[in-house]
Amino acid sequence: MDLELPGLHGSLGSPVIESMNFLNEVAQQYPDALSFAAGRPYEGFFDIGAVHRYLDRFVAHVRAGAGGDEARVRRTLLQYGRTKGIIHDLVAKNLRIDEGIEADPESIVVTVGCQEALFLTLRALRRTERDAVLAVIPCYVGLSGAAELADLPVLPVANSADGIDLDDLVRTVERAKADGLRPRALYVVPDFANPSGISMPRDTRERLLALAEEHGFLLLEDNPYGLFHGTAGRPPALKALDSARQVVYLGSYAKTGLPGARIGFVVADQPVTGAGPESGGRQSLADQLAKIKSMLTVNTPPLAQAVLGGKLLTHDCDLRAANTREAQVYRDNLRHVLDGLAEHFPPGSSPEVTWNAPTGGFFVVLTLPFAADDALLALSARKHKVLWTPLHHFYGDGAARRQIRLSFSQLTPDEIREGLHRLAAFIGELSAHHP
Amino acid sequence: MDLELPGLHGSLGSPVIESMNFLNEVAQQYPDALSFAAGRPYEGFFDIGAVHRYLDRFVAHVRAGAGGDEARVRRTLLQYGRTKGIIHDLVAKNLRIDEGIEADPESIVVTVGCQEALFLTLRALRRTERDAVLAVIPCYVGLSGAAELADLPVLPVANSADGIDLDDLVRTVERAKADGLRPRALYVVPDFANPSGISMPRDTRERLLALAEEHGFLLLEDNPYGLFHGTAGRPPALKALDSARQVVYLGSYAKTGLPGARIGFVVADQPVTGAGPESGGRQSLADQLAKIKSMLTVNTPPLAQAVLGGKLLTHDCDLRAANTREAQVYRDNLRHVLDGLAEHFPPGSSPEVTWNAPTGGFFVVLTLPFAADDALLALSARKHKVLWTPLHHFYGDGAARRQIRLSFSQLTPDEIREGLHRLAAFIGELSAHHP
């Protein structure tokens, strides 16, 4: 039986999915190129022995709570499990320690990576074709992808040096409402955003919370990079400042825990009314997300939760302390990138190349004298053996822009030095052709 | 911020989600009742030590293929991974050995349980509000749930002693088309269906394949119980007879592998045309499902795949051999249930209770002299301390029926004996009130 793509779900023909594929596959196409493209965590400290130790640590923890009931220990790890997860209490403790967030463990749903948390939330918020989600553009493709899959349009909000243009946010919300739409939520990465690297100052966060309450939309806070800040620290997470339950907090352990466990979570403590008499008519948004999860993945693999839970237990749920070495690698790499760029492209020189200077995270954005599209990336990869990410992939419209993203999380200092050398050669050659 | 249930996704208010919740929670509400309700695998052979051994076995396998590249070994288990999975070749070998199915490993997507495979497939097949999926009713609630979540209506097809009423299938398809609908696929569990326990004879399978080709719909074959057949064996899987690529095969390792790993998969070898020039305009349905997966869960936890992969390797991918003990437990339990029912309800006695006699699987269906709803189940649990599943949950309409499902996979022979004793007391008491 033959199928035709135009007869399948609309997301499969979207530019977003093409971008996700492109970003996933480009490194495989050019295995001998140095890659500033992948936003993956550093692999230098990966240790398979630790997986066994984490598993044992979690088993001991479950055993301590099971009062000698070994069948219960085995069941917890090896049988179908609780829909909301089995490490929710450890996640709550970790949020208190790392982020100063007080979360009721019952308001947490443990998910298959942050991506599932995103989809659960967007699917729950999409009732009719009038519903929409707001996002600061350029935006992480995972948000655009989950929104496509949930049939939820993304309303773009302009960026600024503070991570969002709040005036544009208000205009966008008011225009959407005038058009009969319901903007349900705004997706933001307040710390070291992907792809921009920008962080929101504290007063922007406070104004954003006030605007969300005033205009009646949720804030979807995604925070994969917050722990990897510079010596100056960072402002509190939105959720730590959230007195009116405006914030749904989307968590990822891919960068701070173990990417191979694929454990994420969502904190959704918003009350939901009208949930039927048997629940007293009142449940939380987390309860609704759990219902959707029961139709989507049933539960997050208990064995994967156990390994991640063992890592949390091993470090007393303090992932800031657990990531001391990794945080140092990312800080050093950021410095190497900024120093190297300053060396290759001194002020006033030609070609004119500028960049932003995040104080943490995985990403720096360069502005070039020419529009950088996928064809130029292919040229850069083939001829100069260096990969980067055209920023247009984070706009979802396919129009090439003069900006590129450099990711430096997976490289060594030598690779960064050599990679920037190659990048400068590519930019020099291209600028000669685009005077 | 308060949310209202009627403003959230429609699936959250559906009877299906209420049924899933009810079925998940009823056992927790009555922990001291004997349960014929849960369709979970037997726990008597669970072994946490095996998890460590399976992990080591898979690591050795990856190492053997990595030519001394230890960084690659660590990356395979601990980093973000391939969207379609890392054990696809082992799954293909397992399908050849256990089911006689020849599947190209590239046509396989490894998923977070069979439930994610179901959702990926239904989401892909849902283009517009005209699309629909067919299902034999009574039907596994996971199908109904995934369809709700994909905004895809389920068109019911009547059951029969052969697992489907083929005349009703044709009538339903023709009526749907006349109504402007597009029936994209029929969901079936050909072996020991949940909840009915019924299996399709070989000639029904062959006629079903011919009808699917004639009327242009896919067959979604779900096969969690096929390995647990009686001494008479079973007919080939639909996918093993599928010469025209009509069948999308949905696989689960929850019963034959490790439920706690949550590993399932889908074989989707259908060609998809119109996929863009860079792919030669031709991909498989599996490629499309992988794209949707990249927006949903990114990839199935490599650590969970590794544990399941280690189990497959340990048994040379022969799960029939690996499950000799489990299969014997299920066969013995089925016999205990059928013998016990014959003892409690001999022919011609009152109250009149009848049941079907599957030759394998996890389920038997009883027909009672009264309609069995959730209130009666609560009474049975509270007063007689025995749980079962009202069959109405598998119809999705909330209307009580005179049938109940008994699941016997998780019980010991003593528990079955005592459970049937309690069930007979409950039925006796109720029949006295419903003469």
Side-chain angles (χ1 to χ4, degrees):
Chain A
M1 179 158 176
D2 274 31
L3 299 166
E4 291 182 359
L5 195 60
L8 302 179
H9 190 255
S11 62
L12 290 167
S14 76
V16 170
I17 200 87
E18 293 306 321
S19 283
M20 293 185 86
N21 265 349
F22 182 84
L23 298 175
N24 284 335
E25 286 173 14
V26 68
Q28 291 161 33
Q29 279 176 37
Y30 304 100
D32 57 342
L34 284 171
S35 177
F36 288 108
R40 298 179 160 205
Y42 185 67
E43 298 176 354
F45 307 125
F46 279 180
D47 172 11
I48 289 173
V51 174
H52 290 285
R53 293 193 297 275
Y54 293 151
L55 197 57
D56 285 338
R57 185 74 178 78
F58 188 77
V59 169
H61 170 74
V62 174
R63 183 172 286 135
D69 184 350
E70 283 297 313
R72 185 169 140 204
V73 176
R74 290 192 293 268
R75 185 179 304 129
T76 302
L77 271 87
L78 295 173
Q79 188 54 280
Y80 286 92
R82 180 174 174 274
T83 307
K84 284 187 189 173
I86 59 173
I87 58 167
H88 50 307
D89 52 340
L90 300 176
V91 172
K93 187 174 171 192
N94 169 238
L95 281 172
R96 192 162 59 243
I97 293 173
D98 281 352
E99 298 287 344
I101 293 170
E102 293 293 336
D104 177 355
E106 285 298 323
S107 72
I108 293 170
V109 182
V110 182
T111 54
V112 182
C114 187
Q115 189 66 28
E116 190 191 23
L118 257 175
F119 179 76
L120 294 177
T121 307
L122 295 183
R123 177 85 298 198
L125 294 176
R126 201 279 188 188
R127 176 75 184 197
T128 75
E129 65 287 346
R130 293 175 48 223
D131 295 308
V133 63
L134 302 149
V136 179
I137 302 292
C139 173
Y140 170 53
V141 291
L143 179 277
S144 318
E148 285 274 351
L149 206 54
D151 295 324
L152 199 62
V154 178
L155 306 177
V157 175
N159 208 348
S160 80
D162 291 340
I164 186 169
D165 179 335
L166 292 176
D167 294 333
D168 189 62
L169 171 63
V170 172
R171 277 194 303 271
T172 304
V173 168
E174 288 177 345
R175 193 168 52 232
K177 288 182 176 174
D179 291 346
L181 296 177
R182 297 198 301 174
R184 305 298 301 262
L186 167 69
Y187 172 81
V188 282
V189 184
D191 294 285
F192 317 118
N194 180 2
S196 72
I198 294 174
S199 293
M200 293 182 184
R202 175 160 183 154
D203 74 304
T204 303
R205 297 176 194 229
E206 287 170 349
R207 290 171 61 204
L208 189 54
L209 283 160
L211 285 175
E213 194 172 355
E214 181 186 341
H215 293 271
F217 58 85
L218 291 168
L219 297 171
L220 312 184
E221 178 178 34
D222 189 1
N223 182 19
Y225 312 107
L227 248 51
F228 304 119
H229 57 73
T231 47
R234 57 179 260 260
L238 288 171
K239 189 66 187 166
L241 302 169
D242 178 33
S243 55
R245 298 187 197 269
Q246 294 298 134
V247 180
V248 174
Y249 185 87
L250 303 157
S252 167
Y253 286 124
K255 278 80 184 178
T256 57
L258 286 164
R262 294 287 310 127
I263 301 297
F265 63 91
V266 52
V267 183
D269 54 9
Q270 289 70 26
V272 173
T273 55
E278 71 283 0
S279 62
R282 206 169 173 86
Q283 295 182 333
S284 69
L285 181 57
D287 295 321
Q288 310 309 316
L289 301 186
K291 289 181 193 173
I292 295 180
K293 184 171 171 65
S294 73
M295 300 183 278
L296 193 66
T297 57
V298 184
N299 56 87
T300 300
L303 286 173
Q305 292 186 70
V307 174
L308 198 279
K311 178 162 185 174
L312 287 169
L313 287 162
T314 300
H315 298 280
D316 289 329
C317 296
D318 183 341
L319 286 184
R320 191 179 301 270
N323 282 279
T324 312
R325 293 182 304 179
E326 286 82 356
Q328 190 63 47
V329 165
Y330 300 139
R331 263 198 302 273
D332 289 347
N333 281 2
L334 172 58
R335 189 168 44 78
H336 288 305
V337 167
L338 296 177
D339 290 354
L341 289 171
E343 204 174 295
H344 282 289
F345 308 104
S349 69
S350 172
E352 193 189 350
V353 176
T354 58
W355 55 91
N356 65 348
T359 59
F362 283 18
F363 309 112
V364 167
V365 170
L366 264 65
T367 303
L368 308 179
F370 52 86
D373 61 11
D374 294 349
L376 285 193
L377 172 58
L379 176 69
S380 172
R382 213 170 45 237
K383 186 163 172 193
H384 296 276
K385 303 207 181 308
V386 62
L387 291 170
W388 35 268
T389 309
L391 218 67
H392 78 80
H393 286 291
F394 304 95
Y395 287 85
D397 59 6
R401 284 168 174 81
R402 291 162 55 137
Q403 294 189 305
I404 66 173
R405 186 191 77 177
L406 298 190
S407 170
F408 49 78
S409 50
Q410 242 192 320
L411 300 173
T412 64
D414 281 348
E415 288 171 332
I416 290 173
R417 194 172 306 115
E418 174 61 21
L420 291 180
H421 180 72
R422 297 180 188 181
L423 181 67
F426 163 75
I427 293 173
E429 178 182 315
L430 256 287
S431 302
H433 291 91
H434 297 76
Chain B
M1 180 157 175
D2 274 30
L3 299 165
E4 291 182 358
L5 195 60
L8 301 180
H9 190 255
S11 62
L12 291 166
S14 76
V16 170
I17 200 87
E18 294 305 322
S19 283
M20 292 186 86
N21 265 349
F22 182 84
L23 298 175
N24 284 336
E25 286 171 15
V26 69
Q28 292 160 34
Q29 279 176 37
Y30 304 99
D32 58 341
L34 284 171
S35 177
F36 288 108
R40 298 178 159 207
Y42 185 68
E43 298 177 353
F45 306 125
F46 279 181
D47 173 11
I48 290 173
V51 175
H52 290 285
R53 293 193 297 275
Y54 293 152
L55 198 55
D56 284 337
R57 186 72 179 79
F58 188 77
V59 168
H61 170 74
V62 174
R63 183 172 288 136
D69 184 349
E70 282 297 312
R72 185 170 140 203
V73 176
R74 291 191 293 268
R75 186 180 302 130
T76 301
L77 271 86
L78 295 172
Q79 187 55 280
Y80 286 93
R82 181 174 173 273
T83 308
K84 284 187 189 172
I86 59 173
I87 58 168
H88 50 308
D89 51 341
L90 300 176
V91 172
K93 187 174 171 191
N94 170 238
L95 282 172
R96 191 163 58 241
I97 292 172
D98 281 354
E99 298 288 345
I101 292 171
E102 293 293 334
D104 177 355
E106 285 298 323
S107 72
I108 293 170
V109 182
V110 181
T111 54
V112 182
C114 187
Q115 190 65 28
E116 190 192 24
L118 258 175
F119 178 77
L120 294 177
T121 307
L122 295 182
R123 178 84 298 199
L125 294 176
R126 200 277 188 190
R127 175 75 183 198
T128 75
E129 65 286 348
R130 293 175 48 222
D131 295 308
V133 63
L134 302 149
V136 179
I137 301 293
C139 173
Y140 170 53
V141 290
L143 181 275
S144 319
E148 285 275 350
L149 206 54
D151 296 323
L152 199 62
V154 177
L155 306 179
V157 175
N159 208 348
S160 80
D162 291 339
I164 186 169
D165 179 334
L166 292 176
D167 295 332
D168 190 61
L169 171 64
V170 172
R171 277 194 303 272
T172 304
V173 168
E174 288 176 346
R175 193 169 52 232
K177 288 182 177 175
D179 291 346
L181 295 176
R182 297 198 300 173
R184 305 298 301 261
L186 167 70
Y187 172 82
V188 282
V189 184
D191 294 285
F192 317 118
N194 180 3
S196 72
I198 295 174
S199 294
M200 293 183 184
R202 177 160 182 153
D203 74 305
T204 302
R205 297 175 194 229
E206 287 168 351
R207 289 171 61 204
L208 189 53
L209 282 160
L211 285 175
E213 193 173 354
E214 180 186 341
H215 292 271
F217 58 84
L218 291 167
L219 296 171
L220 311 184
E221 178 178 34
D222 190 1
N223 182 19
Y225 312 107
L227 247 52
F228 304 120
H229 56 75
T231 47
R234 57 179 260 260
L238 288 172
K239 189 66 186 165
L241 303 169
D242 178 33
S243 55
R245 299 185 195 270
Q246 294 298 133
V247 181
V248 174
Y249 185 88
L250 304 158
S252 167
Y253 286 124
K255 279 80 183 179
T256 56
L258 286 163
R262 294 289 308 127
I263 301 296
F265 63 91
V266 51
V267 183
D269 54 9
Q270 288 69 27
V272 174
T273 54
E278 71 284 0
S279 62
R282 205 171 173 85
Q283 296 182 333
S284 70
L285 181 57
D287 294 321
Q288 310 309 315
L289 301 185
K291 289 180 194 175
I292 294 179
K293 182 170 173 65
S294 73
M295 300 185 278
L296 193 67
T297 57
V298 184
N299 55 88
T300 300
L303 285 172
Q305 292 184 71
V307 174
L308 197 280
K311 178 162 185 175
L312 286 170
L313 287 162
T314 300
H315 298 281
D316 289 328
C317 296
D318 182 342
L319 286 183
R320 189 179 301 270
N323 282 280
T324 312
R325 294 182 304 178
E326 287 82 356
Q328 190 63 47
V329 166
Y330 300 139
R331 262 196 304 272
D332 289 348
N333 281 2
L334 172 58
R335 188 170 44 80
H336 289 305
V337 168
L338 296 177
D339 289 354
L341 288 171
E343 204 173 299
H344 282 289
F345 308 105
S349 69
S350 171
E352 193 190 353
V353 175
T354 58
W355 55 92
N356 64 349
T359 59
F362 282 19
F363 310 112
V364 167
V365 170
L366 262 65
T367 303
L368 307 179
F370 52 86
D373 62 12
D374 294 348
L376 285 193
L377 172 58
L379 176 69
S380 171
R382 213 170 45 238
K383 187 164 172 195
H384 296 275
K385 304 208 182 306
V386 61
L387 291 170
W388 35 268
T389 308
L391 218 66
H392 77 80
H393 287 290
F394 305 94
Y395 287 85
D397 60 5
R401 286 167 172 81
R402 291 162 56 136
Q403 294 188 303
I404 66 173
R405 186 192 76 177
L406 298 190
S407 170
F408 48 79
S409 49
Q410 244 192 318
L411 300 173
T412 64
D414 281 349
E415 288 171 332
I416 290 173
R417 194 172 307 116
E418 174 62 22
L420 290 180
H421 181 74
R422 296 180 188 181
L423 181 67
F426 162 75
I427 293 173
E429 179 182 317
L430 256 287
S431 302
H433 292 91
H434 297 77

